[in-house]
Amino acid sequence: MSPALQGLITILIGVGGCLGYFYLSNQLIDKVIFPAKGPKAGQNINRANMVRPWLFLFPAIFALGLYLAYPVVETLRLSLTDRDQGGAFVGFANYQQMFTETKFWEAMRNNMLWLVVVPAASTAFGLLAAQLTDRIKWGAVAKSIIFMPMAISFVGASVIFRLIYVARPADQAQIGVLNAVWLQFEGGAGSFLVLKLLPAIMVLGFAGIVAYVGYILLKPFLGKGSSHSTFGTVMRLGGAAGAAYLVVTSLWQIVQLFGAQLPYGEPQQWLTIPFYNNFFLMVVLIWIQTGFAMVILSAALRGIPEETVEAAIVDGANPFEVFFQIKVPQIMGTIVVVWTTITLVVLKIFDIVFAMTNGQWETQVLANYMFDKLFRSNDWGVGSASAIIIMLLVSPILVWNVYNARKEMR
Amino acid sequence: MDNIAGTKSSLTWAVHLATLALVLLWIFPTVGLFVSSFRTVDQINSSGWWASLSAAEQNEVLRAADPGENRVPDGDMFVVSGNLFPDGSEKTISVWGTSSRDIDAYVAGETADLGDGETMTVNADGAYEWRGTDDQISGRGQRIFVTAEAPPEFTMDNYEQVLLSGDRTDSMTKAFFNTLTVTIPATIIPIVVAAFAAYALAWMDFPGRALLIAMVVGLLVVPLQLALIPLLRLHLGIGIGKGYLGVWLAHTGFGLPLAIYLLRNYMVGLPRDIIENARVDGATEFQIFTRIILPLSFPALASFAIFQFLWTWNDLLVAKVFLIDATGETTVMTNQIVELLGTRGGNWEILATAAFVSIAVPLVVFFAMQKYLVRGMLAGSVK
């Protein structure tokens, strides 16, 4: 049977089955089990109305339970067993084995890098694009174009960016944009300006933002006599420590950058330069996610009450002050939402690494590490263990989302 | 907003320029792929795609026609004339020469003296006239070195190779239809299932509703990586194996939380009066749902449909795990491209074309339904 026909039949069975199920089960309840007539009509109507929600919910609950809830438990179980010993319980042996592998720690380090850089860069670019496009006539067109990569698959985007990074021997014409641009630099004043001063300023700006976030996190402790929940304190201190680490690392990178001898005039295999190749992969995701951030943030920017902006201008604020001191604080909630949404995408990132480097040259990430373990080395124990690590990384966001959703419903 | 005080913002130009720079930066990569897919192998290997948009200067070695067949007597001399370029060529010669050591000796239209009265004239459009004695106009045709400007030139050959050739490694046709086969049921089925559940969660009162909604929000972020092994084992265990049915079910399961969340948020916002009135008028819940809620929820249904369509079309991981078996008969486009990256890593004409074929459909859907996509995004990001 041709797959297309099979697909059509599945649609018919699936959709028809669903509709039929809902219709018939409702009929069954109303007409046969709890008929709304006879001596117990009132009671029956009430009973039918108690059962009915579960009829509507049953297929969804079944599918969610089987395809999302059950796997969480089952993966946890698998991560504690060994396939080679016939599924015997081995405790944390899989985790222990995983923690001794350098590839795992490489994946962890890279995932953390992704986690910091991609949401930050996407949100920053998205905010910039939202602010810029909201003020001009052709903003809608500009938005469409920046938003467009959202429709492109990670694999398609990987091909697009591999074409940008491609390197040819020095005596041939470069067909990758990045190398073509790179060969324009010869180490003169222009090179210093573009390749050292500009990145240094950008990294410095990043460090400044991180330092500011750390300051905000620590602010409640600097004042005296305020009480905090233990959980909040731990989160804030942890965040501040992370921020301090990032600031120090960024400053160290700047120092190194000025000391580095850049190999001018030689075409570079960008994806094989350890550590920095991670950033070339991240660019792909930033390129895709910026549109998402822009769309959400632009809607938030439009929702800002105009009076606040007008009052600031009347008081003599310049456009930058209006943006950073009036607008940004008011959309802080939305920025956090965008940030966490992109963080979720980053934690699960697989396709880009798989298609561009497949984890070679120190670009491994957790999801690809897991895929390797599962389907190349057939090690289900360690594979499941790494999946559980991903789940653990996601769970703070999960808790936070559920907490917010419940607060909103009350 | 910024000029309410009566002063026009001096930053307007900066804003326009900055936006333009950002837009160009963002569209540049895609344009590169698009342009490359219309270039021949030689073009791709000899210059970057950005060079193909302007006229390219190239050096060529050409030959005048063979004197033995083409020379015509003119008085006591013989003449060979014709055009260096094939018919329809739009190249323009700027300089030319007859020796490899001096390829820019003459400008177009000039007559070169080749010694002993033998002359050669080459015009800008490639027309030449080679004149000389019986002896001189013999043997092989005179070699001519030209420096010509070629206008941008594009070809559809790559698309023919990728779409029509049926070549086992290059052909995307089968993968295209496989992707379509995966995508359509995987988009429609979760909508139906989720719509009923969302209605129950939005408009029916029952104990445990709040808990269920919280669970859906929680499942929204569960990474599907966790589901791979248990579900693959399950599918193999109950006999579904690797195939379309498995991938449809998997996509349905993974898409449900977002579908329920989006649809419920939208349905909750529908006016209560309509539903209450219908209940008073004696409509059953099933009738309310199909006659009132579904038609009113069209925007939310459309936004989820686009999400799910893009997600299933662009997916690689789920297809790799649940669909593609050892025979590779059911490969999807994303997987096909990853394989091409391995086997045809340097053949950018094939890669670019294959990638563009795979992103063309999502792009069309994106531009046609952008409104709904944006709406869904605004509703879907957990507030």
Side-chain angles (χ1 to χ4, degrees):
Chain A
M1 187 164 50
S2 101
L5 193 64
Q6 199 188 340
L8 201 65
I9 293 172
T10 312
I11 294 179
L12 288 178
I13 293 177
V15 175
C18 279
L19 290 175
Y21 158 80
F22 287 118
Y23 182 75
L24 290 177
S25 61
N26 273 286
Q27 287 289 323
L28 192 71
I29 275 208
D30 288 335
K31 297 276 154 64
V32 182
I33 304 178
F34 300 120
K37 55 191 173 207
K40 288 196 262 177
Q43 196 190 351
N44 275 354
I45 289 178
N46 281 342
R47 280 195 188 151
N49 282 341
M50 269 172 65
V51 176
R52 203 184 325 273
W54 301 104
L55 290 183
F56 274 66
L57 283 166
F58 171 74
I61 291 182
F62 179 76
L64 283 179
L66 187 64
Y67 276 85
L68 286 167
Y70 155 76
V72 175
V73 181
E74 176 70 3
T75 303
L76 188 60
R77 191 187 70 79
L78 282 173
S79 76
L80 300 174
T81 59
D82 189 344
R83 194 189 187 192
D84 293 334
Q85 298 174 28
F89 181 80
V90 291
F92 289 100
N94 289 320
Y95 292 89
Q96 273 171 352
Q97 188 199 331
M98 186 168 72
F99 292 152
T100 59
E101 284 186 28
T102 49
K103 264 289 178 195
F104 170 76
W105 290 110
E106 179 194 313
M108 279 297 268
R109 183 203 69 180
N110 291 341
N111 252 60
M112 293 302 140
L113 263 181
W114 280 76
L115 217 51
V116 172
V117 177
V118 174
S122 305
T123 314
F125 275 120
L127 195 57
L128 177 72
Q131 171 68 8
L132 289 176
T133 51
D134 273 350
R135 291 155 54 119
I136 52 177
K137 276 195 195 122
W138 53 286
V141 180
K143 265 193 192 131
S144 270
I145 290 172
I146 297 176
F147 193 28
M148 182 191 71
M150 277 299 285
I152 296 176
S153 62
F154 288 159
V155 174
S158 301
V159 175
I160 291 177
F161 275 84
R162 268 174 74 140
L163 181 58
I164 289 180
Y165 297 148
V166 69
R168 307 281 298 277
D171 55 341
Q172 291 179 20
Q174 292 301 326
I175 62 172
V177 180
L178 200 57
N179 269 314
V181 172
W182 170 251
L183 291 184
Q184 300 301 311
F185 293 109
E186 289 119 357
S191 306
F192 177 78
L193 221 61
V194 178
L195 292 176
K196 295 209 163 168
L197 206 58
L198 191 68
I201 291 171
M202 279 162 64
V203 175
L204 206 62
F206 171 74
I209 293 170
V210 173
Y212 181 67
V213 171
Y215 169 71
I216 290 177
L217 286 173
L218 282 181
K219 213 170 169 187
F221 304 111
L222 300 178
K224 49 189 183 293
S226 49
S227 59
H228 311 285
S229 67
T230 333
F231 178 71
T233 310
V234 171
M235 289 301 279
R236 277 171 185 278
L237 286 179
Y245 172 74
L246 283 175
V247 171
V248 172
T249 319
S250 313
L251 294 179
W252 178 236
Q253 285 295 328
I254 294 176
V255 174
Q256 283 198 318
L257 180 68
F258 281 106
Q261 286 290 325
L262 299 176
Y264 295 110
E266 297 164 27
Q268 297 292 310
Q269 296 277 358
W270 301 104
L271 292 177
T272 62
I273 309 170
F275 186 70
Y276 293 99
N277 48 11
N278 283 304
F279 294 94
F280 293 117
L281 297 187
M282 288 177 208
V283 166
V284 184
L285 193 58
I286 294 170
W287 181 69
I288 292 175
Q289 292 294 332
T290 294
F292 164 75
M294 177 195 67
V295 165
I296 310 265
L297 293 173
S298 146
L301 281 176
R302 279 201 212 128
I304 291 177
E306 274 193 37
E307 299 82 47
T308 57
V309 177
E310 283 168 13
I313 294 172
V314 169
D315 285 348
N318 67 38
F320 288 101
E321 285 171 340
V322 169
F323 181 67
F324 284 107
Q325 293 176 15
I326 307 294
K327 289 185 173 175
V328 170
Q330 292 193 66
I331 58 167
M332 214 47 183
T334 315
I335 291 179
V336 171
V337 168
V338 169
W339 194 292
T340 46
T341 311
I342 298 175
T343 303
L344 286 173
V345 177
V346 171
L347 278 171
K348 295 182 272 188
I349 192 67
F350 163 75
D351 310 30
I352 293 177
V353 177
F354 185 77
M356 288 189 84
T357 61
N358 199 8
Q360 297 175 81
W361 309 296
E362 299 181 25
T363 54
Q364 188 67 293
V365 290
L366 279 175
N368 193 49
Y369 173 82
M370 182 202 145
F371 189 85
D372 260 355
K373 285 289 166 198
L374 288 186
F375 300 105
R376 295 233 177 78
S377 27
N378 266 319
D379 190 343
W380 288 10
V382 175
S384 300
S386 52
I388 292 291
I389 298 286
I390 300 179
M391 182 69 209
L392 284 180
L393 291 174
V394 169
S395 46
I397 300 177
L398 188 153
V399 173
W400 171 252
N401 275 359
V402 172
Y403 172 76
N404 277 344
R406 294 203 61 126
K407 201 167 69 180
E408 206 171 88
M409 275 193 301
R410 254 180 235 132
Chain B
M1 207 191 286
D2 292 313
N3 53 9
I4 49 158
T7 55
K8 196 162 163 58
S9 173
S10 56
L11 284 171
T12 311
W13 276 109
V15 169
H16 277 284
L17 284 179
T19 316
L20 190 66
L22 208 57
V23 165
L24 288 181
L25 198 63
W26 246 252
I27 201 171
F28 184 80
T30 321
V31 172
L33 187 82
F34 184 65
V35 171
S36 296
S37 72
F38 290 102
R39 303 181 77 205
T40 63
V41 190
D42 294 340
Q43 286 171 328
I44 286 182
N45 286 332
S46 63
S47 62
W49 62 266
W50 53 91
S52 71
L53 299 178
S54 54
E57 195 164 80
Q58 13 177 259
N59 292 317
E60 284 181 84
V61 185
L62 301 163
R63 236 175 232 288
D66 183 22
E69 295 163 17
N70 294 300
R71 69 178 196 177
V72 280
D74 179 21
D76 55 348
M77 307 282 261
F78 286 91
V79 174
V80 176
S81 61
N83 199 308
L84 291 170
F85 301 128
D87 280 348
S89 164
E90 287 167 30
K91 292 178 187 169
T92 318
I93 295 173
S94 51
V95 289
W96 59 280
T98 53
S99 153
S100 61
R101 272 168 298 166
D102 201 6
I103 62 168
D104 52 358
Y106 313 102
V107 296
E110 207 175 338
T111 301
D113 183 3
L114 305 181
D116 296 336
E118 183 185 357
T119 60
M120 169 70 83
T121 311
V122 177
N123 290 325
D125 62 354
Y128 64 93
E129 192 183 66
W130 181 24
R131 179 182 289 271
T133 59
D134 185 16
D135 243 14
Q136 289 161 339
I137 311 295
S138 63
R140 298 183 66 190
Q142 172 67 40
R143 275 203 300 176
I144 303 169
F145 299 83
V146 301
T147 302
E149 288 251 308
E153 196 185 335
F154 299 103
T155 170
M156 292 297 289
D157 290 355
N158 301 330
Y159 284 91
E160 237 162 73
Q161 169 76 3
V162 164
L163 291 176
L164 305 175
S165 74
D167 184 292
R168 255 196 84 77
T169 52
D170 292 350
S171 174
M172 295 288 282
T173 321
K174 196 176 66 183
F176 183 91
F177 285 108
N178 288 347
T179 304
L180 211 57
T181 315
V182 170
T183 307
I184 293 173
T187 305
I188 294 175
I189 297 172
I191 292 181
V192 180
V193 175
F196 280 96
Y199 173 64
L201 290 175
W203 286 107
M204 289 171 150
D205 231 349
F206 59 93
R209 187 172 76 160
L211 187 71
L212 273 178
I213 297 171
M215 269 181 59
V216 169
V217 173
L219 290 177
L220 212 50
V221 300
V222 169
L224 65 87
Q225 267 86 1
L226 267 91
L228 301 183
I229 318 173
L231 289 182
L232 186 58
R233 275 163 58 119
L234 181 82
H235 281 177
L236 295 175
I238 61 176
I240 295 177
K242 280 189 162 196
Y244 286 113
L245 189 59
V247 82
W248 290 326
L249 290 175
H251 275 311
T252 302
F254 301 147
L256 265 184
L258 182 67
I260 297 176
Y261 182 76
L262 272 183
L263 293 177
R264 183 206 161 257
N265 277 2
Y266 189 86
M267 286 177 185
V268 158
L270 294 176
R272 178 173 282 275
D273 295 352
I274 302 180
I275 294 154
E276 302 276 301
N277 284 347
R279 282 198 181 131
V280 170
D281 288 348
T284 65
E285 295 285 346
F286 190 78
Q287 283 170 329
I288 295 175
F289 176 74
T290 48
R291 304 259 175 87
I292 298 172
I293 300 284
L294 272 192
L296 285 178
S297 304
F298 176 75
L301 295 173
S303 20
F304 173 73
I306 299 165
F307 268 122
Q308 182 75 356
F309 174 81
L310 289 179
W311 154 242
T312 47
W313 186 279
N314 291 338
D315 159 77
L316 171 69
L317 185 57
V318 176
K320 261 189 118 56
V321 175
F322 293 107
L323 174 65
I324 300 161
D325 52 20
T327 62
E329 278 302 306
T330 50
T331 183
V332 292
M333 282 198 286
T334 44
N335 187 57
Q336 185 83 356
I337 291 171
V338 171
E339 271 170 22
L340 278 178
L341 279 172
T343 55
R344 301 283 236 141
N347 296 55
W348 283 104
E349 73 288 354
I350 299 294
L351 274 175
T353 315
F356 200 79
V357 167
S358 91
I359 66 177
V361 173
L363 283 184
V364 169
V365 171
F366 171 83
F367 281 115
M369 321 265 297
Q370 203 178 356
K371 191 176 74 181
Y372 293 108
L373 189 67
V374 170
R375 205 180 285 179
M377 256 177 200
L378 292 176
S381 53
V382 184
K383 279 184 255 34

